[in-house]
């Protein structure tokens, strides 16, 4: 005996072996299939300058008919996940793909128009944020820089009998306030060690997710400018957290600050239905041991920590 597992030569025999394992049928209330993390970079070349859009895409397809793939060993009409991967590149080529939201919408539209068997399609598009390089004070025409963990995310769920539902996300927006933050008047009991303060640093790696009014979803044909809305959302969030460039705004808690920022987004963006803001509170702890080292702590030397972090989050809705 060689110790090798005997190869299966007869398909019917293989089928019999397989089905023998299943002794009973159960229901299959949920199923789907898709491709995850398909990476694509699209470069748009104009005479004056280039534009680049890098994405990591997850696709998911839905059809009740595909129950047979799971339960009856029948792959008829199945859109293979490898085909879904190829589709990401084809749609990147054929469409503008200049925002993660529109790319997600266009992918879903492609799947639904191409395959009548599908009842729904979903695409999650994460955009790696490349920033145009600045050289000697001027925007470079083809040079790019990537900073930090930030991503722009677009999601589309498109059921055939409905309008596409689009969600946008700003992920990993990392901010630091070196003053204009305090935390006081909270419950003090025998478990409390944190001293109240009127002066501290505030930092978070924020995720903000917003949804759209229904009529935007209906208008997903390509005319809605998701990118410029994103610019407004980010600028309102930034203003809400930091306040005016000179002097800023005082934060009595991260809770109050993200609620304020959310309200500012809804005020500036009538097309946004609600915004979810998630902010792990990353602590910059005063390095008070300076005192024992013969130095004075003057709100100037801190120990950065990101674990454990507070988990402050809310949804602000109009
Ligand atoms: O802004 C804050 N909110 C809290 O709920 C909290 N809790 C804490 O220990 N520090 C802070 N900071």
């Amino acid at each position: 005996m060689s110790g090798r597992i005997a190869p299966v030569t007869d398909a019917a025999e293989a089928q019999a072996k397989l089905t023998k394992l299943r002794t009973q049928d159960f229901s299959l209330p949920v199923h789907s299939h898709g491709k995850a993390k398909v990476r694509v970079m699209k470069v748009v070349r104009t005479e004056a300058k280039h534009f680049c859009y890098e994405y990591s895409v997850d696709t998911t397809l839905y059809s009740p008919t595909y129950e047979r793939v799971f339960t009856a060993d029948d792959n008829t009409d199945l859109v293979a996940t490898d085909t879904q991967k190829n589709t990401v590149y084809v749609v990147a080529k054929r469409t503008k793909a200049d925002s993660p939201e529109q790319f997600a919408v266009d992918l879903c539209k492609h799947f639904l128009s191409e395959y009548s068997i599908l009842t729904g399609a979903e695409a999650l598009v994460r955009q790696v944020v490349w920033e145009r390089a600045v050289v000697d004070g001027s925007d470079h025409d083809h040079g790019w820089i990537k900073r930090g963990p930030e991503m722009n995310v677009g999601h589309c769920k498109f059921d055939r009998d409905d309008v596409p539902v689009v969600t946008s996300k700003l992920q990993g927006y990392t901010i630091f306030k070196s003053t204009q933050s305090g935390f006081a008047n909270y419950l003090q009991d025998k478990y409390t060690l944190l001293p109240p303060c009127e002066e501290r640093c505030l930092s978070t790696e924020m995720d903000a997710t917003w949804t759209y009014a229904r009529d935007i979803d209906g208008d997903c044909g390509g005319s809605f400018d998701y990118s410029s809305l994103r610019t407004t959302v980010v600028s309102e969030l930034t203003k809400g957290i930091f306040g005016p460039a000179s002097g800023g705004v005082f934060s009595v808690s991260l809770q109050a600050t993200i609620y304020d920022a959310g309200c500012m987004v809804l005020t500036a963006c009538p097309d946004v239905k609600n915004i979810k803001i998630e902010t792990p509170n990353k602590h910059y702890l005063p390095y008070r041991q300076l005192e024992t080292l013969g130095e004075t702590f003057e709100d100037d030397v801190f120990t950065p920590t990101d674990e454990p972090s507070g988990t402050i989050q809310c949804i602000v809705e109009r």
Side-chain angles (χ1 to χ4, degrees), residues 183 194 200 202 253-255 281 283 312:
F183 187 61
L194 184 75
R200 67 173 184 174
L202 185 71
S253 67
L254 194 49
Q255 287 92 325
N281 194 358
H283 303 293
I312 315 282

Side-chain angles (χ1 to χ4, degrees), residues 283-302:
H283 303 293
Y284 282 73
L285 306 176
Y287 189 70
R288 295 210 182 272
Q289 288 93 321
L290 274 182
E291 313 283 346
T292 44
L293 297 169
E295 297 289 341
T296 313
F297 175 74
E298 294 170 300
D299 288 309
D300 52 355
V301 179
F302 301 87

Side-chain angles (χ1 to χ4, degrees), residues 2-64:
S2 68
R4 281 170 52 204
I5 296 170
V8 174
T9 47
D10 183 299
E13 189 190 327
Q15 189 71 10
K17 273 188 185 156
L18 197 67
T19 48
K20 247 195 279 171
L21 291 177
R22 196 166 79 211
T23 55
Q24 204 177 335
D25 284 352
F26 293 98
S27 70
L28 186 75
V30 179
H31 59 86
S32 65
H33 73 297
K35 201 67 154 185
K37 298 190 180 163
V38 182
R39 295 186 58 183
V40 55
M41 167 68 101
K42 170 146 183 172
V43 178
V44 176
R45 294 157 188 268
T46 69
E47 279 277 299
K49 51 180 157 174
H50 290 185
F51 298 84
C52 73
Y53 307 98
E54 180 177 339
Y55 300 115
S56 170
V57 180
D58 296 358
T59 59
T60 312
L61 302 183
Y62 299 90
S63 171

